């Protein structure tokens, strides 16, 4: 019975299943005094996801190449449908209601993005600028459709997937840094460079405050000189784009919703709005700190059981782990994710072709970014962006997507070259 799956990585199957079972226990803990039943729904959806993962692992992944544009079209059409028939909740229009269930197309779009980019890059690598630009243009359409929902968190995941797959497809790391440099330039400019009205009062002080931004612009000019085909024009272009991005930072900032702005800046000092946008972060840090080394014990965390942390069963599930299972529980969860990522890298390295290797790296990029940002925001090291913790946070669409992505990588492992002796 196991013969069709005899090449799959069973440890890679077992660890996400274990996380899903563990997540149901922790979700029940967060809702123990609310009477909700999300915990067993998490297990039910996880079981369906595991079945889908087995089915996908049994299919030869190469057949997806001939469906790449169909998958890309379905991805964009589903994201467009949200704009017209989507359900609005929590200030965003991200869900489509089907038979009483809310489906989030942007979650499944992550998988569509991975398949499309792997199909695009497996024959023509990203070693040339035209290839990189073509990849960015194709990835930009679903990214834009997700960003305007608005769904800042998922759009950031799309960016991480694209950068990770471009790097694996032999793109120059300097090019990748130059692509994201305008964003950092805008942030550094807004933080360091004084307003124009302040320059008249003290030019010397204003210049001194602007030094970090000027260093950043100069560094991007050096990278442009070293990595782009035309050193002089590349250097000037990199510097000019970063200077313009810095000046236009406040305009781009104005395009964000108020709650998105609060999420991006309040993590630096949540005490500025302790009862508003900073409330989640403050309570989450209190909960994790209260767990100390061994934790307060399952179902015994005061912050968790008294429901001080909103949405704790979804985005802030890690704070419940930290409070009730302590430092030991947190490290155990991180260790499981580390082993999962290690197995994904091994599958990518041993894949029989570039397409399979890129699929594994796309899934790896998606998982690594989500884990880092989710855990980072619960301990105050990253802004609150609504990114779930894979297999642990409650969310039907996200859980199904993660299991389908797992099945896709297992297909790469199952159909890799057999060793003959």
């Amino acid at each position: 019975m196991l013969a069709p799956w005899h090449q799959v990585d069973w440890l890679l199957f077992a660890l996400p299943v274990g996380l899903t079972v563990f997540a149901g226990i922790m979700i029940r803990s967060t809702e123990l005094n609310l009477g909700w039943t999300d915990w067993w729904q998490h297990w039910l959806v996880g079981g369906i996801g595991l079945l889908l993962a087995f089915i996908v692992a049994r299919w030869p992944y190469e057949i997806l190449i001939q469906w790449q544009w169909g998958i890309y079209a379905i991805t964009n059409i589903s994201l467009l449908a949200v704009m017209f028939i989507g359900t609005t909740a929590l200030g965003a229009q991200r869900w489509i209601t089907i038979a009483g269930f809310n489906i989030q197309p942007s979650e499944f779009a992550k998988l569509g993005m991975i398949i499309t980019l792997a199909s695009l890059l497996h024959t023509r690598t990203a070693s040339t600028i035209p290839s990189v630009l073509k990849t960015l243009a194709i990835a930009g359409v679903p990214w834009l459709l997700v960003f305007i929902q608005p769904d800042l968190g998922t759009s950031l995941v799309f960016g991480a997937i694209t950068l990770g797959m471009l790097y694996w497809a032999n793109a120059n790391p300097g090019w990748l840094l130059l692509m994201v440099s305008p964003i950092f330039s805008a942030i550094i400019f807004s933080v360091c460079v004084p307003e124009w009205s302040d320059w008249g009062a003290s030019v010397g002080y204003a210049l001194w405050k602007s030094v970090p931004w000027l260093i950043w612009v100069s560094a991007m000019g050096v990278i442009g000189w070293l990595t782009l085909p035309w050193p002089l024009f590349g250097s000037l272009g990199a510097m000019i784009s970063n200077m313009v991005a810095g000046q236009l930072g406040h305009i781009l900032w104005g395009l964000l919703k108020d709650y998105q702005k609060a999420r991006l800046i309040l993590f630096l000092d949540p005490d500025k709005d302790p009862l508003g946008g900073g409330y989640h972060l403050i309570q989450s840090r209190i909960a994790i700190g209260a767990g100390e080394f061994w934790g307060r014990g399952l179902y015994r965390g005061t912050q968790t059981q008294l429901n001080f942390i909103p949405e704790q069963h979804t985005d802030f599930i890690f704070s419940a782990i930290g409070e009730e299972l302590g430092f030991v529980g947190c490290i155990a969860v991180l260790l499981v994710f580390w082993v999962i990522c290690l197995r994904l890298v091994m599958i990518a390295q041993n894949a029989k072709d570039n397409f399979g290797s890129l699929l594994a790296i796309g899934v790896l990029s998606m998982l690594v970014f989500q884990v880092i940002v989710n855990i980072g925001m619960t301990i105050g090291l990253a802004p609150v962006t609504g990114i779930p913790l894979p297999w642990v946070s409650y969310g039907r669409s996200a859980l199904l997507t993660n299991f389908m992505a797992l099945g896709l990588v297992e297909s790469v492992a199952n159909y890799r070259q057999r060793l003959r002796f």
Side-chain angles (χ1 to χ4, degrees):
M1 292 180 62
L2 297 178
W5 297 278
H6 72 283
Q7 283 282 97
V8 302
D9 189 327
W10 291 108
L11 179 61
L12 185 58
F13 259 133
L15 292 177
V17 171
L19 281 176
T20 304
V21 174
F22 168 74
I25 298 173
M26 297 310 304
I27 291 171
R28 183 175 185 270
S29 177
T30 64
E31 301 176 345
L32 194 62
N33 297 319
L34 298 176
W36 296 355
T37 57
D38 291 335
W39 61 275
W40 69 261
Q41 293 184 37
H42 188 79
W43 285 347
L44 176 62
V45 175
I48 297 173
L50 181 61
L51 178 61
L52 291 175
F54 273 112
I55 295 174
V56 174
R58 183 65 182 89
W59 282 1
Y61 64 92
E62 301 98 322
I63 63 176
L64 295 173
I65 296 177
Q66 57 187 325
W67 296 349
Q68 59 173 312
W69 297 118
I71 294 173
Y72 183 69
I74 293 173
T75 298
N76 291 321
I77 290 172
S78 65
L79 294 175
L80 278 172
V82 174
M83 301 173 61
F84 298 101
I85 61 174
T87 301
T88 301
L90 301 176
Q93 189 169 342
R94 306 173 186 171
W95 297 269
I96 295 177
T97 302
I98 301 177
F101 294 96
N102 288 334
I103 306 297
Q104 189 172 354
S106 61
E107 287 292 338
F108 299 102
K110 299 174 186 176
L111 199 54
M113 171 81 82
I114 292 171
I115 295 172
T116 301
L117 295 186
S119 302
L120 185 68
L121 293 169
H122 86 283
T123 55
R124 185 179 182 182
T125 64
S127 57
T128 63
I129 291 181
S131 177
V132 172
L133 294 177
K134 181 180 179 181
T135 302
L136 293 177
I138 291 175
V141 176
W143 176 88
L144 181 62
L145 292 175
V146 171
F147 182 78
I148 63 179
Q149 288 182 1
D151 191 348
L152 178 61
T154 304
S155 64
L156 292 175
V157 177
F158 277 27
I161 291 172
T162 304
L163 291 176
M165 296 183 72
L166 282 173
Y167 174 77
W168 197 256
N170 205 30
N172 191 309
W175 299 350
L176 303 181
L177 180 58
L178 289 174
M179 283 191 295
V180 300
S181 64
I183 300 175
F184 290 99
S185 179
I187 296 173
I188 298 172
F189 183 90
S190 62
V191 172
C192 298
V193 179
E195 298 288 341
W196 287 111
S197 58
D198 297 332
W199 284 73
S202 176
V203 177
Y205 174 75
L207 285 173
W208 173 252
K209 290 283 290 183
S210 304
V211 166
W213 181 69
L214 294 174
I215 293 176
W216 175 264
V217 173
S218 301
M220 294 305 102
V222 173
I223 293 176
W225 179 279
L226 296 175
T227 62
L228 294 176
W230 303 281
L232 179 59
F233 293 106
S235 178
L236 290 175
M239 294 178 67
I240 291 173
S241 63
N242 276 268
M243 293 173 68
V244 172
Q247 297 287 342
L248 296 179
H250 66 282
I251 297 178
L252 299 175
W253 182 256
L255 297 177
L256 298 177
K257 303 291 185 180
D258 290 338
Y259 78 93
Q260 291 177 325
K261 295 178 182 179
R263 284 181 172 184
L264 290 175
I265 62 175
L266 279 175
F267 83 99
L268 297 172
D269 187 9
D271 293 323
K272 287 183 178 180
D273 190 12
L275 298 179
Y279 180 79
H280 292 68
L281 294 172
I282 294 172
Q283 298 300 325
S284 177
R285 290 190 306 185
I286 292 174
I288 293 176
E292 298 182 343
F293 192 79
W294 293 107
R296 291 176 176 267
L298 190 63
Y299 307 142
R300 295 180 181 178
T302 54
Q303 298 291 111
T304 299
Q305 298 305 317
L306 297 178
N307 304 308
F308 277 100
I309 307 173
E311 307 299 331
Q312 193 171 12
H313 65 301
T314 55
D315 298 343
F316 284 86
I317 189 66
F318 193 76
S319 64
I321 298 173
E323 182 182 25
E324 298 194 341
L325 303 181
F327 178 79
V328 174
C330 292
I331 291 299
V333 171
L334 288 174
L335 181 61
V336 171
F337 278 117
W338 179 80
V339 175
I340 290 174
C341 292
L342 179 63
R343 306 303 294 184
L344 291 175
V345 172
M346 294 174 61
I347 291 174
Q349 291 178 327
N350 296 321
K352 68 179 181 182
D353 54 23
N354 290 337
F355 180 59
S357 183
L358 285 164
L359 288 175
I361 290 300
V363 174
L364 173 68
S365 302
M366 177 183 71
L367 294 179
V368 168
F369 184 79
Q370 291 185 136
V371 170
I372 291 176
V373 174
N374 179 275
I375 295 178
M377 74 182 187
T378 61
I379 59 178
L381 296 180
V384 179
T385 54
I387 294 178
L389 188 61
W391 293 294
V392 181
S393 294
Y394 176 77
R396 292 185 286 257
S397 297
L399 186 58
L400 289 176
T401 298
N402 291 329
F403 269 112
M404 292 171 66
L406 176 66
L408 191 60
V409 176
E410 289 286 15
S411 176
V412 176
N414 197 28
Y415 289 92
R416 63 182 180 265
Q417 296 287 3
R418 271 65 169 177
L419 298 178
R420 298 180 182 276
F421 298 95

